[in-house]
Amino acid sequence: MRLPSRYSLFPFLLWWPTVTRRTLGTDLLVGLSGAILALPQSIAYALIAGLPAEYGLYAAIVPVIIACLWGSSWHLIGGPTAAISIVLFTSVSPMARPGSDEFVALVLVLTFLAGLFQWLLGLLRFGNLVNFVSPSVILGFTLGAALVIALGQLPNLLGLELDSQRTAVATLLDLGQHLGQADWHAMLVAAFTLAVSLLCRRLWPRLPALLIGVVAGSLLVAALPGFFAGIRLVDAFEGSLPPFTLLHFEVNSLLGLLPAAIACGMLGLVTSLSIARSLAAKSQQLLDANQEVRAQGLSNMIGPWFAGSLSAGSFTRSALNLQSGATSPMAGVFSALLVAAFALFCAPLIAHIALPSMGAAILLICWGLVDIEGVRALLRVSRAEFVVMLLTLLATLVLELQTAIYAGVLASLFFYLKRTSQPRFKYTRDGDDELLRLEGSIFFGACHYVQQILQLSHGERVVVDARHINFIDYAGVEMLHLEARRLMAQNRQLVLRHARPHVIEEIQKLEGATCPVLFED
């Protein structure tokens, strides 16, 4: 059934009639919890991406509101994420100095390109295309990104000022050369922040442990200004709502950013849809993947005009949204509005945050990305997928992250094609007939393997149990005709038993009534 055009243009009209004063009150409280969680994360992710701190807050405002109102999921909340932030940094830092106006401008253009790519996928109803990025690739990439982020934050924890490097290996080598210059004062602040955050998580799990740890570490530095005189602080900025920002499109920049934009767009969609599907399964909500893809694209197309860098679904904020009892996407909207209020009225507080404290908080975020149980489950279930995960992980450490995504996808497709190109056969004898049970489709990639099996078969009649053949292409049809005529020259027959009607129709199209392949029920 096709929805009226007003619902296609404004999908929030579908659920808006269910909003009441009571549900708004509930969603406001849930949004407050989400905003408290978003504040330290957004600032941390901005620093990971090489952006000024305020841009983390900007990315958690306009893009989040658009994604909530135009999306399909009632509980998915987006914003800056760790993995996407590190990809932004590694993609743009070779083109401009991190933190500079040129760097910020390039990040916003990349965000627009990624959003345009996402929106076009949704418009063409290619939402399921992201399924070709396997969970093993995402798992390997997430583990690798966690290591890359952690290595990138070690200079802040050690009180070092080092130039950014393009790969994790280069960062580790550079860090090793300057390890003797580490400042133990910075390490003390980082250790104190970690201790407070972990203690808070253990004793009061419902409180925002990251925020409390960062505040505690920063208060320690402020309380002993003489002792911690050399500790660097987050750069100050003037409190304001997300400013309208003109994007500058230059041909050379566009060509240079396009590969990274596609990688970021795919990564954002896979992350967002995976989270949305997980939440929908728990809440029993019907999810429209193509609408969600369009919403993510729209948020990233409009967001950069309001200084918002690339956003995607956040698992921690989305899970909190569901667990806290959000009744509609208004919880995400309230969360974004409360972050905007903080950016407007509380910006001076950010200038008192100690960088070692923020680095420690980012380390905890990285640890949360490490899915040990997922790795163990993958190893138990599929060795091939485990290899894909390892290849993706290694690629993130030795290559640039957007290249690592492509490497992981190619490795996943390689193993998938290897499996499908060698469908399973089971041999049995039925008198003078040799019965072959084929489990898989016959397409151009599998033709050679199937042909070899048929050529090695014996018996006056080679009978193929074809009930599990769901698809056959021209190459498969031509191969079966050739094998059937070869068997006819030997006074033998090729018979397909229990073949599906559409498979029979495709095979008979080539030569019509003279088709050499026989069929049985």
Side-chain angles (χ1 to χ4, degrees):
M1 182 178 68
R2 188 177 180 84
L3 293 174
S5 59
R6 66 179 183 277
Y7 293 132
S8 299
L9 294 175
F10 307 106
F12 53 84
L13 294 178
L14 282 170
W15 53 262
W16 182 254
T18 65
V19 174
T20 64
R21 183 176 297 180
R22 182 184 62 81
T23 63
L24 281 177
T26 301
D27 288 339
L28 178 60
L29 292 177
V30 175
L32 177 61
S33 300
I36 292 173
L37 179 62
L39 290 175
Q41 284 188 342
S42 299
I43 296 170
Y45 295 150
L47 298 179
I48 291 173
L51 296 167
E54 62 267 30
Y55 282 86
L57 301 179
Y58 296 157
I61 301 175
V62 174
V64 172
I65 293 175
I66 294 172
C68 286
L69 292 179
W70 270 265
S72 173
S73 173
W74 286 22
H75 299 104
L76 181 68
I77 296 184
T81 67
I84 285 181
S85 295
I86 191 64
V87 174
L88 288 177
F89 177 80
T90 56
S91 300
V92 181
S93 56
M95 303 173 67
R97 181 175 58 83
S100 64
D101 291 342
E102 182 184 4
F103 182 88
V104 172
L106 289 173
V107 167
L108 296 182
V109 171
L110 188 153
T111 299
F112 178 84
L113 292 176
L116 179 61
F117 171 71
Q118 293 173 332
W119 182 76
L120 288 174
L121 284 182
L123 188 66
L124 297 172
R125 308 191 68 81
F126 284 172
N128 291 328
L129 184 63
V130 297
N131 292 336
F132 286 95
V133 183
S134 69
S136 56
V137 172
I138 297 301
L139 180 59
F141 175 80
T142 303
L143 290 174
L147 290 173
V148 172
I149 295 168
L151 287 173
Q153 288 304 309
L154 284 181
N156 286 333
L157 271 70
L158 299 175
L160 301 174
E161 293 188 42
L162 303 179
D163 294 332
S164 61
Q165 304 294 327
R166 301 184 67 168
T167 66
V169 173
T171 299
L172 188 60
L173 293 175
D174 189 34
L175 191 64
Q177 294 175 356
H178 297 84
L179 203 56
Q181 304 170 15
D183 182 0
W184 68 271
H185 297 85
M187 290 187 282
L188 181 62
V189 173
F192 180 74
T193 302
L194 282 173
V196 171
S197 297
L198 293 173
L199 185 64
C200 184
R201 279 186 176 180
R202 185 174 182 83
L203 299 179
W204 305 285
R206 289 185 174 274
L207 295 181
L210 286 180
L211 182 61
I212 292 173
V214 170
V215 170
S218 301
L219 287 176
L220 177 65
V221 174
L224 300 171
F227 188 75
F228 294 111
I231 298 297
R232 296 170 58 210
L233 304 177
V234 173
D235 294 335
F237 69 94
E238 184 178 350
S240 67
L241 294 175
F244 179 75
T245 307
L246 289 175
L247 303 184
H248 301 284
F249 300 100
E250 298 179 357
V251 175
N252 291 336
S253 298
L254 293 176
L255 294 177
L257 294 172
L258 190 57
I262 295 175
C264 288
M266 287 295 291
L267 176 62
L269 288 182
V270 171
T271 303
S272 300
L273 286 182
S274 299
I275 296 170
R277 285 171 177 166
S278 174
L279 298 176
K282 294 178 180 178
S283 63
Q284 303 299 313
Q285 183 208 340
L286 182 63
L287 188 70
D288 185 338
N290 288 305
Q291 180 182 326
E292 195 61 51
V293 170
R294 290 193 295 270
Q296 293 296 320
L298 191 64
S299 69
N300 286 318
M301 287 172 64
I302 297 177
W305 298 94
F306 296 91
S309 59
L310 193 67
S311 69
S314 165
F315 183 80
T316 52
R317 294 180 62 194
S318 300
L320 175 65
N321 203 28
L322 177 65
Q323 295 166 6
S324 301
T327 62
S328 76
M330 285 303 299
V333 174
F334 283 133
S335 174
L337 293 176
L338 290 169
V339 171
F342 180 88
L344 183 60
F345 298 111
C346 304
L349 297 176
I350 295 178
H352 297 285
I353 296 177
L355 278 180
S357 291
M358 186 58 67
I362 293 174
L363 277 189
L364 286 180
I365 293 173
C366 293
W367 179 249
L369 294 174
V370 178
D371 186 1
I372 301 297
E373 287 302 317
V375 173
R376 289 174 178 170
L378 193 63
L379 180 59
R380 288 195 303 268
V381 174
S382 173
R383 295 293 178 90
E385 288 296 307
F386 184 78
V387 171
V388 171
M389 185 276 294
L390 281 181
L391 289 175
T392 308
L393 170 59
L394 292 174
T396 59
L397 300 179
V398 300
L399 304 174
E400 296 179 22
L401 285 190
Q402 68 272 21
T403 307
I405 297 174
Y406 294 136
V409 171
L410 288 175
S412 184
L413 288 176
F414 170 78
F415 283 102
Y416 169 75
L417 292 174
K418 186 176 183 295
R419 288 194 301 269
T420 56
S421 65
Q422 297 181 356
R424 292 183 179 179
F425 273 95
K426 184 178 180 181
Y427 295 86
T428 56
R429 296 289 300 184
D430 184 10
D432 292 333
D433 296 343
E434 180 171 10
L435 181 61
L436 306 175
R437 182 171 180 173
L438 174 62
E439 297 180 359
S441 297
I442 304 178
F443 69 108
F444 65 92
C447 283
H448 180 67
Y449 180 76
V450 174
Q451 187 175 30
Q452 285 182 319
I453 297 296
L454 294 176
Q455 289 175 350
L456 294 174
S457 62
H458 304 283
E460 294 183 4
R461 297 200 322 158
V462 178
V463 182
V464 178
D465 186 342
R467 72 186 71 194
H468 296 297
I469 300 178
N470 297 315
F471 168 76
I472 185 168
D473 64 1
Y474 172 76
V477 170
E478 187 179 39
M479 181 272 296
L480 288 181
H481 278 250
L482 289 174
E483 284 305 302
R485 294 201 176 280
R486 180 183 65 80
L487 292 173
M488 287 176 63
Q490 301 172 4
N491 295 318
R492 301 163 66 197
Q493 295 176 328
L494 175 61
V495 181
L496 264 60
R497 182 177 293 173
H498 305 308
R500 302 190 178 197
H502 68 276
V503 173
I504 296 175
E505 181 183 356
E506 292 298 320
I507 294 174
Q508 290 179 335
K509 281 181 180 179
L510 189 61
E511 297 186 41
T514 61
C515 176
V517 182
L518 303 180
F519 301 95
E520 290 182 356
D521 293 330

